[in-house]
PDB file of all heavy atoms in Angstrom:
ATOM      1  N   ALA A 244     135.505  81.581 124.649  1.00  0.00           N
ATOM      2  CA  ALA A 244     135.060  80.193 124.794  1.00  0.00           C
ATOM      3  C   ALA A 244     135.276  79.697 126.219  1.00  0.00           C
ATOM      4  O   ALA A 244     134.416  79.030 126.802  1.00  0.00           O
ATOM      5  CB  ALA A 244     135.801  79.304 123.801  1.00  0.00           C
ATOM      6  N   ARG A 245     136.403  80.022 126.812  1.00  0.00           N
ATOM      7  CA  ARG A 245     136.669  79.616 128.190  1.00  0.00           C
ATOM      8  C   ARG A 245     135.691  80.288 129.152  1.00  0.00           C
ATOM      9  O   ARG A 245     135.237  79.678 130.129  1.00  0.00           O
ATOM     10  CB  ARG A 245     138.106  79.969 128.567  1.00  0.00           C
ATOM     11  CG  ARG A 245     139.164  79.146 127.874  1.00  0.00           C
ATOM     12  CD  ARG A 245     140.557  79.572 128.306  1.00  0.00           C
ATOM     13  NE  ARG A 245     140.799  79.276 129.719  1.00  0.00           N
ATOM     14  CZ  ARG A 245     141.858  79.722 130.394  1.00  0.00           C
ATOM     15  NH1 ARG A 245     142.749  80.510 129.794  1.00  0.00           N
ATOM     16  NH2 ARG A 245     142.010  79.400 131.663  1.00  0.00           N
ATOM     17  N   GLY A 246     135.376  81.546 128.875  1.00  0.00           N
ATOM     18  CA  GLY A 246     134.433  82.258 129.736  1.00  0.00           C
ATOM     19  C   GLY A 246     133.063  81.614 129.737  1.00  0.00           C
ATOM     20  O   GLY A 246     132.439  81.429 130.794  1.00  0.00           O
ATOM     21  N   TRP A 247     132.587  81.227 128.567  1.00  0.00           N
ATOM     22  CA  TRP A 247     131.259  80.613 128.494  1.00  0.00           C
ATOM     23  C   TRP A 247     131.280  79.181 129.029  1.00  0.00           C
ATOM     24  O   TRP A 247     130.283  78.714 129.592  1.00  0.00           O
ATOM     25  CB  TRP A 247     130.727  80.655 127.066  1.00  0.00           C
ATOM     26  CG  TRP A 247     130.139  81.990 126.743  1.00  0.00           C
ATOM     27  CD1 TRP A 247     130.643  82.944 125.912  1.00  0.00           C
ATOM     28  CD2 TRP A 247     128.945  82.547 127.307  1.00  0.00           C
ATOM     29  NE1 TRP A 247     129.839  84.056 125.914  1.00  0.00           N
ATOM     30  CE2 TRP A 247     128.785  83.834 126.757  1.00  0.00           C
ATOM     31  CE3 TRP A 247     127.997  82.075 128.216  1.00  0.00           C
ATOM     32  CZ2 TRP A 247     127.713  84.668 127.097  1.00  0.00           C
ATOM     33  CZ3 TRP A 247     126.928  82.901 128.555  1.00  0.00           C
ATOM     34  CH2 TRP A 247     126.791  84.178 127.989  1.00  0.00           C
ATOM     35  N   GLN A 248     132.399  78.501 128.888  1.00  0.00           N
ATOM     36  CA  GLN A 248     132.515  77.179 129.496  1.00  0.00           C
ATOM     37  C   GLN A 248     132.408  77.295 131.014  1.00  0.00           C
ATOM     38  O   GLN A 248     131.724  76.503 131.670  1.00  0.00           O
ATOM     39  CB  GLN A 248     133.840  76.535 129.103  1.00  0.00           C
ATOM     40  CG  GLN A 248     134.033  75.123 129.648  1.00  0.00           C
ATOM     41  CD  GLN A 248     135.366  74.529 129.240  1.00  0.00           C
ATOM     42  OE1 GLN A 248     136.298  75.234 128.859  1.00  0.00           O
ATOM     43  NE2 GLN A 248     135.475  73.214 129.308  1.00  0.00           N
ATOM     44  N   ALA A 249     133.074  78.302 131.581  1.00  0.00           N
ATOM     45  CA  ALA A 249     133.017  78.520 133.030  1.00  0.00           C
ATOM     46  C   ALA A 249     131.618  78.945 133.458  1.00  0.00           C
ATOM     47  O   ALA A 249     131.134  78.548 134.525  1.00  0.00           O
ATOM     48  CB  ALA A 249     134.046  79.568 133.440  1.00  0.00           C
ATOM     49  N   CYS A 250     130.947  79.747 132.636  1.00  0.00           N
ATOM     50  CA  CYS A 250     129.580  80.175 132.947  1.00  0.00           C
ATOM     51  C   CYS A 250     128.647  78.982 132.994  1.00  0.00           C
ATOM     52  O   CYS A 250     127.814  78.860 133.906  1.00  0.00           O
ATOM     53  CB  CYS A 250     129.109  81.180 131.900  1.00  0.00           C
ATOM     54  SG  CYS A 250     127.390  81.719 132.110  1.00  0.00           S
ATOM     55  N   ARG A 251     128.790  78.097 132.054  1.00  0.00           N
ATOM     56  CA  ARG A 251     127.942  76.903 132.017  1.00  0.00           C
ATOM     57  C   ARG A 251     128.214  76.005 133.225  1.00  0.00           C
ATOM     58  O   ARG A 251     127.290  75.408 133.779  1.00  0.00           O
ATOM     59  CB  ARG A 251     128.199  76.148 130.716  1.00  0.00           C
ATOM     60  CG  ARG A 251     127.281  74.964 130.492  1.00  0.00           C
ATOM     61  CD  ARG A 251     127.625  74.277 129.185  1.00  0.00           C
ATOM     62  NE  ARG A 251     126.897  73.023 129.035  1.00  0.00           N
ATOM     63  CZ  ARG A 251     127.184  72.101 128.123  1.00  0.00           C
ATOM     64  NH1 ARG A 251     128.187  72.299 127.284  1.00  0.00           N
ATOM     65  NH2 ARG A 251     126.478  70.993 128.053  1.00  0.00           N
ATOM     66  N   ALA A 252     129.491  75.948 133.646  1.00  0.00           N
ATOM     67  CA  ALA A 252     129.848  75.098 134.774  1.00  0.00           C
ATOM     68  C   ALA A 252     129.336  75.655 136.093  1.00  0.00           C
ATOM     69  O   ALA A 252     129.014  74.902 137.016  1.00  0.00           O
ATOM     70  CB  ALA A 252     131.359  74.921 134.825  1.00  0.00           C
ATOM     71  N   ASP A 253     129.249  76.986 136.208  1.00  0.00           N
ATOM     72  CA  ASP A 253     128.831  77.617 137.467  1.00  0.00           C
ATOM     73  C   ASP A 253     128.001  78.866 137.165  1.00  0.00           C
ATOM     74  O   ASP A 253     128.477  79.993 137.289  1.00  0.00           O
ATOM     75  CB  ASP A 253     130.057  77.975 138.304  1.00  0.00           C
ATOM     76  CG  ASP A 253     129.691  78.333 139.746  1.00  0.00           C
ATOM     77  OD1 ASP A 253     128.489  78.526 140.027  1.00  0.00           O
ATOM     78  OD2 ASP A 253     130.606  78.426 140.583  1.00  0.00           O
ATOM     79  N   PRO A 254     126.736  78.686 136.758  1.00  0.00           N
ATOM     80  CA  PRO A 254     125.894  79.843 136.419  1.00  0.00           C
ATOM     81  C   PRO A 254     125.707  80.814 137.584  1.00  0.00           C
ATOM     82  O   PRO A 254     125.614  82.021 137.363  1.00  0.00           O
ATOM     83  CB  PRO A 254     124.566  79.207 136.006  1.00  0.00           C
ATOM     84  CG  PRO A 254     124.907  77.806 135.616  1.00  0.00           C
ATOM     85  CD  PRO A 254     126.029  77.415 136.516  1.00  0.00           C
ATOM     86  N   ASP A 255     125.647  80.311 138.813  1.00  0.00           N
ATOM     87  CA  ASP A 255     125.462  81.202 139.959  1.00  0.00           C
ATOM     88  C   ASP A 255     126.614  82.189 140.084  1.00  0.00           C
ATOM     89  O   ASP A 255     126.413  83.375 140.367  1.00  0.00           O
ATOM     90  CB  ASP A 255     125.323  80.396 141.248  1.00  0.00           C
ATOM     91  CG  ASP A 255     123.952  79.733 141.392  1.00  0.00           C
ATOM     92  OD1 ASP A 255     123.043  80.107 140.625  1.00  0.00           O
ATOM     93  OD2 ASP A 255     123.805  78.869 142.262  1.00  0.00           O
ATOM     94  N   ALA A 256     127.828  81.697 139.899  1.00  0.00           N
ATOM     95  CA  ALA A 256     128.985  82.588 139.974  1.00  0.00           C
ATOM     96  C   ALA A 256     128.956  83.612 138.845  1.00  0.00           C
ATOM     97  O   ALA A 256     129.292  84.786 139.042  1.00  0.00           O
ATOM     98  CB  ALA A 256     130.280  81.775 139.915  1.00  0.00           C
ATOM     99  N   ALA A 257     128.545  83.183 137.656  1.00  0.00           N
ATOM    100  CA  ALA A 257     128.449  84.098 136.522  1.00  0.00           C
ATOM    101  C   ALA A 257     127.409  85.183 136.768  1.00  0.00           C
ATOM    102  O   ALA A 257     127.621  86.365 136.445  1.00  0.00           O
ATOM    103  CB  ALA A 257     128.113  83.316 135.256  1.00  0.00           C
ATOM    104  N   LEU A 258     126.294  84.809 137.364  1.00  0.00           N
ATOM    105  CA  LEU A 258     125.249  85.784 137.678  1.00  0.00           C
ATOM    106  C   LEU A 258     125.730  86.787 138.719  1.00  0.00           C
ATOM    107  O   LEU A 258     125.496  87.993 138.593  1.00  0.00           O
ATOM    108  CB  LEU A 258     124.001  85.054 138.182  1.00  0.00           C
ATOM    109  CG  LEU A 258     123.168  84.396 137.088  1.00  0.00           C
ATOM    110  CD1 LEU A 258     122.296  83.309 137.673  1.00  0.00           C
ATOM    111  CD2 LEU A 258     122.323  85.440 136.385  1.00  0.00           C
ATOM    112  N   ALA A 259     126.411  86.271 139.746  1.00  0.00           N
ATOM    113  CA  ALA A 259     126.916  87.159 140.789  1.00  0.00           C
ATOM    114  C   ALA A 259     127.896  88.172 140.206  1.00  0.00           C
ATOM    115  O   ALA A 259     127.859  89.359 140.545  1.00  0.00           O
ATOM    116  CB  ALA A 259     127.574  86.348 141.898  1.00  0.00           C
ATOM    117  N   LEU A 260     128.756  87.705 139.328  1.00  0.00           N
ATOM    118  CA  LEU A 260     129.718  88.605 138.699  1.00  0.00           C
ATOM    119  C   LEU A 260     129.015  89.661 137.851  1.00  0.00           C
ATOM    120  O   LEU A 260     129.357  90.848 137.891  1.00  0.00           O
ATOM    121  CB  LEU A 260     130.688  87.800 137.836  1.00  0.00           C
ATOM    122  CG  LEU A 260     131.688  88.619 137.013  1.00  0.00           C
ATOM    123  CD1 LEU A 260     132.575  89.459 137.923  1.00  0.00           C
ATOM    124  CD2 LEU A 260     132.538  87.708 136.136  1.00  0.00           C
ATOM    125  N   THR A 261     128.014  89.242 137.071  1.00  0.00           N
ATOM    126  CA  THR A 261     127.266  90.192 136.240  1.00  0.00           C
ATOM    127  C   THR A 261     126.638  91.288 137.086  1.00  0.00           C
ATOM    128  O   THR A 261     126.746  92.479 136.772  1.00  0.00           O
ATOM    129  CB  THR A 261     126.169  89.450 135.457  1.00  0.00           C
ATOM    130  OG1 THR A 261     126.768  88.459 134.608  1.00  0.00           O
ATOM    131  CG2 THR A 261     125.361  90.417 134.606  1.00  0.00           C
ATOM    132  N   LEU A 262     125.994  90.901 138.175  1.00  0.00           N
ATOM    133  CA  LEU A 262     125.310  91.874 139.029  1.00  0.00           C
ATOM    134  C   LEU A 262     126.289  92.787 139.731  1.00  0.00           C
ATOM    135  O   LEU A 262     126.064  94.001 139.826  1.00  0.00           O
ATOM    136  CB  LEU A 262     124.442  91.131 140.047  1.00  0.00           C
ATOM    137  CG  LEU A 262     123.283  90.304 139.474  1.00  0.00           C
ATOM    138  CD1 LEU A 262     122.659  89.446 140.564  1.00  0.00           C
ATOM    139  CD2 LEU A 262     122.242  91.185 138.816  1.00  0.00           C
ATOM    140  N   GLU A 263     127.389  92.234 140.224  1.00  0.00           N
ATOM    141  CA  GLU A 263     128.349  93.046 140.966  1.00  0.00           C
ATOM    142  C   GLU A 263     129.180  93.935 140.049  1.00  0.00           C
ATOM    143  O   GLU A 263     129.616  95.015 140.456  1.00  0.00           O
ATOM    144  CB  GLU A 263     129.256  92.139 141.796  1.00  0.00           C
ATOM    145  CG  GLU A 263     128.510  91.417 142.915  1.00  0.00           C
ATOM    146  CD  GLU A 263     129.439  90.617 143.812  1.00  0.00           C
ATOM    147  OE1 GLU A 263     130.591  91.053 144.019  1.00  0.00           O
ATOM    148  OE2 GLU A 263     129.020  89.554 144.301  1.00  0.00           O
ATOM    149  N   SER A 264     129.396  93.487 138.811  1.00  0.00           N
ATOM    150  CA  SER A 264     130.194  94.278 137.872  1.00  0.00           C
ATOM    151  C   SER A 264     129.422  95.456 137.303  1.00  0.00           C
ATOM    152  O   SER A 264     130.031  96.427 136.835  1.00  0.00           O
ATOM    153  CB  SER A 264     130.677  93.384 136.723  1.00  0.00           C
ATOM    154  OG  SER A 264     131.489  92.339 137.181  1.00  0.00           O
ATOM    155  N   HIS A 265     128.095  95.379 137.327  1.00  0.00           N
ATOM    156  CA  HIS A 265     127.276  96.423 136.709  1.00  0.00           C
ATOM    157  C   HIS A 265     126.161  96.853 137.657  1.00  0.00           C
ATOM    158  O   HIS A 265     124.966  96.689 137.366  1.00  0.00           O
ATOM    159  CB  HIS A 265     126.707  95.921 135.375  1.00  0.00           C
ATOM    160  CG  HIS A 265     127.769  95.420 134.440  1.00  0.00           C
ATOM    161  ND1 HIS A 265     128.111  94.088 134.351  1.00  0.00           N
ATOM    162  CD2 HIS A 265     128.598  96.083 133.594  1.00  0.00           C
ATOM    163  CE1 HIS A 265     129.098  93.953 133.472  1.00  0.00           C
ATOM    164  NE2 HIS A 265     129.409  95.148 133.000  1.00  0.00           N
ATOM    165  N   PRO A 266     126.543  97.424 138.796  1.00  0.00           N
ATOM    166  CA  PRO A 266     125.541  97.783 139.807  1.00  0.00           C
ATOM    167  C   PRO A 266     124.600  98.897 139.373  1.00  0.00           C
ATOM    168  O   PRO A 266     123.522  99.039 139.947  1.00  0.00           O
ATOM    169  CB  PRO A 266     126.404  98.225 140.995  1.00  0.00           C
ATOM    170  CG  PRO A 266     127.689  98.675 140.377  1.00  0.00           C
ATOM    171  CD  PRO A 266     127.908  97.767 139.211  1.00  0.00           C
ATOM    172  N   ASP A 267     124.994  99.673 138.366  1.00  0.00           N
ATOM    173  CA  ASP A 267     124.167 100.791 137.912  1.00  0.00           C
ATOM    174  C   ASP A 267     123.343 100.460 136.671  1.00  0.00           C
ATOM    175  O   ASP A 267     122.724 101.346 136.085  1.00  0.00           O
ATOM    176  CB  ASP A 267     125.057 102.010 137.626  1.00  0.00           C
ATOM    177  CG  ASP A 267     125.826 102.470 138.859  1.00  0.00           C
ATOM    178  OD1 ASP A 267     125.269 102.382 139.968  1.00  0.00           O
ATOM    179  OD2 ASP A 267     126.990 102.892 138.703  1.00  0.00           O
ATOM    180  N   ALA A 268     123.339  99.199 136.279  1.00  0.00           N
ATOM    181  CA  ALA A 268     122.630  98.812 135.059  1.00  0.00           C
ATOM    182  C   ALA A 268     121.152  98.537 135.289  1.00  0.00           C
ATOM    183  O   ALA A 268     120.426  98.251 134.334  1.00  0.00           O
ATOM    184  CB  ALA A 268     123.293  97.585 134.436  1.00  0.00           C
ATOM    185  N   GLY A 269     120.699  98.594 136.540  1.00  0.00           N
ATOM    186  CA  GLY A 269     119.296  98.354 136.825  1.00  0.00           C
ATOM    187  C   GLY A 269     118.878  96.912 136.620  1.00  0.00           C
ATOM    188  O   GLY A 269     117.727  96.638 136.259  1.00  0.00           O
ATOM    189  N   LEU A 270     119.798  95.986 136.851  1.00  0.00           N
ATOM    190  CA  LEU A 270     119.510  94.569 136.619  1.00  0.00           C
ATOM    191  C   LEU A 270     118.752  93.967 137.789  1.00  0.00           C
ATOM    192  O   LEU A 270     119.153  94.122 138.940  1.00  0.00           O
ATOM    193  CB  LEU A 270     120.810  93.802 136.396  1.00  0.00           C
ATOM    194  CG  LEU A 270     121.683  94.285 135.229  1.00  0.00           C
ATOM    195  CD1 LEU A 270     122.977  93.485 135.157  1.00  0.00           C
ATOM    196  CD2 LEU A 270     120.924  94.191 133.906  1.00  0.00           C
ATOM    197  N   ASP A 271     117.664  93.267 137.492  1.00  0.00           N
ATOM    198  CA  ASP A 271     116.880  92.573 138.504  1.00  0.00           C
ATOM    199  C   ASP A 271     117.435  91.162 138.656  1.00  0.00           C
ATOM    200  O   ASP A 271     117.530  90.416 137.679  1.00  0.00           O
ATOM    201  CB  ASP A 271     115.416  92.539 138.082  1.00  0.00           C
ATOM    202  CG  ASP A 271     114.543  91.819 139.091  1.00  0.00           C
ATOM    203  OD1 ASP A 271     114.463  90.577 139.006  1.00  0.00           O
ATOM    204  OD2 ASP A 271     113.959  92.489 139.953  1.00  0.00           O
ATOM    205  N   ALA A 272     117.796  90.797 139.876  1.00  0.00           N
ATOM    206  CA  ALA A 272     118.466  89.512 140.104  1.00  0.00           C
ATOM    207  C   ALA A 272     117.617  88.338 139.649  1.00  0.00           C
ATOM    208  O   ALA A 272     118.122  87.395 139.016  1.00  0.00           O
ATOM    209  CB  ALA A 272     118.826  89.369 141.582  1.00  0.00           C
ATOM    210  N   ALA A 273     116.320  88.357 139.953  1.00  0.00           N
ATOM    211  CA  ALA A 273     115.457  87.235 139.575  1.00  0.00           C
ATOM    212  C   ALA A 273     115.322  87.124 138.063  1.00  0.00           C
ATOM    213  O   ALA A 273     115.337  86.017 137.501  1.00  0.00           O
ATOM    214  CB  ALA A 273     114.086  87.396 140.230  1.00  0.00           C
TER     215      ALA A 273
END
Side-chain angles (χ1 to χ4, degrees):
R245 290 180 66 190
W247 279 109
Q248 182 180 19
C250 177
R251 186 181 172 193
D253 193 348
D255 284 347
L258 283 159
L260 175 61
T261 300
L262 296 171
E263 293 185 33
S264 299
H265 306 95
D267 300 324
L270 302 177
D271 180 275

